[in-house]
């Protein structure tokens, strides 16, 4: 594989982002990586000649633009962008406040859009590039009680990545939405998964699912983040990269279940759903 590409990775101080950055550096790529805490990022990754650690506030457009400018100033270009920063949010739709829901969207959705707006002029100018937006299998199927808002943010990532891929294809730039299943990172740890400030006792099932994620699933996820990172690098080097990249057997199983359920609903209600057009006038 070529290793002369410059990668820009957000949310790189832990989880999949950190694993990806370490693997990229080992393979000889140049990497600019961001985190809210520069010290945490530097400690997690260590010192490398081809590594540029950056403190960046995703919700601040000026901060994002400065990080992109510093990356290009340091390495001369940016080729692969990975919008990885984000966090999980548990809680029923009734429990979560407007502020809690909006904050999840601000980081998981609008943060990535801030990066895209800042980097696109550079990618268009060079006529090449690849943008990876990290979503989730929860952005393809929303049947997870207690994760409605989080799923909604990741559904948004799916939607805007599909549009982005169509918008930038003519400039020679690719876009891929990544939908991981359960990978053994710290995503379900207390510092990455937020819970409602005001829990309602009525939502017993939501509490059970929330507890299962925090206690049973956390640390026992089937996915290996090293292999997920390697898969993304492979896709980045592919001539015909996919718009949709699902990672993990569990993600594949859930995706096929969702497509099957949609197909069933389409066919079951075809006689009703296709009778909504204007009646054709008789000649």
């Amino acid at each position: 594989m070529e290793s002369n590409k410059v990668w820009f990775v957000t949310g790189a101080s832990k989880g999949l982002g950190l694993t990806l950055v370490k693997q990229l550096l080992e393979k000889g790529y140049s990497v600019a990586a961001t985190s809210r805490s520069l010290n945490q990022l530097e400690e997690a990754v260590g010192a490398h000649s081809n590594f540029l650690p950056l403190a960046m506030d995703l919700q601040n457009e000026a901060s994002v633009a400065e990080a992109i400018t510093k990356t290009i100033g340091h390495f001369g270009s940016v080729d692969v962008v990975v919008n990885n920063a984000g966090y999980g949010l548990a809680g029923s739709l009734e429990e979560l406040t407007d502020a809690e829901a909006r904050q999840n969207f601000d980081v998981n959705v609008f943060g990535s859009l801030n990066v895209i707006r800042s980097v696109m002029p550079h990618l268009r100018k060079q006529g090449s590039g690849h943008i990876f937006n990290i979503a989730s299998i929860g952005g393809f199927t929303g049947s997870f009680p207690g994760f409605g808002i989080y799923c909604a943010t990741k559904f948004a990532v799916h939607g805007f990545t599909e549009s982005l891929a169509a918008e930038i294809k003519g400039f020679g730039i690719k876009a891929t939405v990544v939908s991981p299943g359960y990978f053994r990172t710290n995503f379900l740890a207390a510092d990455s998964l937020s819970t409602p400030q005001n829990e309602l006792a009525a939502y017993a099932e939501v509490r059970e699912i929330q507890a299962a994620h925090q206690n049973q699933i956390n640390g026992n996820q089937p996915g290996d983040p090293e292999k997920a990172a390697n898969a993304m690098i492979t896709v980045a080097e592919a001539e015909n990269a996919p718009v949709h990249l699902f990672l993990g057997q569990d993600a594949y199983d859930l995706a096929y279940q969702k497509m099957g359920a949609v197909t069933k609903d389409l066919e079951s209600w075809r006689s009703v759903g296709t009778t909504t057009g204007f009646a054709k006038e008789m000649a």
Side-chain angles (χ1 to χ4, degrees):
M1 283 195 246
E2 297 179 4
S3 58
N4 59 348
K5 289 183 177 178
V6 178
W7 287 61
F8 180 89
V9 183
T10 70
S13 62
K14 56 186 177 181
L16 179 59
L18 176 59
T19 301
L20 176 62
V21 166
K22 287 183 174 180
Q23 197 168 131
L24 287 168
L25 292 171
E26 289 174 1
K27 293 179 182 291
Y29 292 91
S30 296
V31 181
T34 77
S35 174
R36 288 173 297 177
S37 170
L38 185 60
N39 289 338
Q40 186 179 0
L41 178 60
E42 291 174 332
E43 290 176 5
V45 178
H48 298 265
S49 60
N50 53 334
F51 176 53
L52 178 65
L54 297 165
M56 188 182 79
D57 179 2
L58 267 180
Q59 299 176 70
N60 184 311
E61 289 186 275
S63 177
V64 173
E66 182 181 10
I68 296 293
T69 298
K70 284 183 177 179
T71 299
I72 296 172
H74 186 83
F75 291 118
S77 67
V78 59
D79 302 294
V80 184
V81 176
V82 182
N83 282 310
N84 170 72
Y87 69 96
L89 178 63
S92 70
L93 296 178
E94 182 183 353
E95 290 174 308
L96 292 170
T97 65
D98 180 72
E100 288 172 321
R102 287 178 184 274
Q103 178 63 18
N104 205 214
F105 270 89
D106 282 344
V107 175
N108 292 3
V109 178
F110 294 106
S112 294
L113 293 176
N114 285 341
V115 173
I116 291 167
R117 278 194 301 272
S118 289
V119 78
M120 271 303 303
H122 304 284
L123 299 183
R124 282 193 293 103
K125 184 177 180 180
Q126 68 190 26
S128 64
H130 196 156
I131 298 174
F132 286 85
N133 295 321
I134 309 300
S136 165
I137 186 58
F140 189 76
T141 176
S143 55
F144 299 95
F147 286 88
I149 293 298
Y150 173 75
C151 287
T153 68
K154 296 304 185 177
F155 265 75
V157 174
H158 267 262
F160 74 63
T161 303
E162 290 179 359
S163 292
L164 178 67
E167 291 171 356
I168 64 181
K169 183 178 180 180
F171 300 121
I173 307 166
K174 304 170 185 176
T176 297
V177 57
V178 184
S179 301
Y182 287 97
F183 279 81
R184 202 168 298 177
T185 68
N186 63 342
F187 177 76
L188 296 175
D191 61 344
S192 296
L193 180 67
S194 294
T195 55
Q197 293 181 356
N198 303 305
E199 295 182 349
L200 299 176
Y203 286 97
E205 182 184 12
V206 168
R207 293 289 81 74
E208 290 174 4
I209 292 175
Q210 180 181 315
H213 279 78
Q214 293 173 312
N215 302 319
Q216 284 81 49
I217 297 175
N218 188 29
N220 295 300
Q221 299 96 322
D224 182 346
E226 293 286 347
K227 294 178 180 178
N230 185 65
M232 290 177 59
I233 296 170
T234 299
V235 169
E237 294 296 346
E239 183 175 351
N240 297 309
V243 174
H244 304 93
L245 176 64
F246 291 87
L247 295 177
Q249 185 62 52
D250 55 344
Y252 266 73
D253 292 343
L254 288 166
Y256 280 121
Q257 287 176 23
K258 167 67 180 284
M259 289 187 285
V262 171
T263 298
K264 181 180 178 181
D265 285 347
L266 281 169
E267 297 307 318
S268 297
W269 290 90
R270 178 189 291 270
S271 60
V272 174
T274 58
T275 59
T276 56
F278 287 105
K280 294 182 179 179
E281 296 183 3
M282 299 295 292

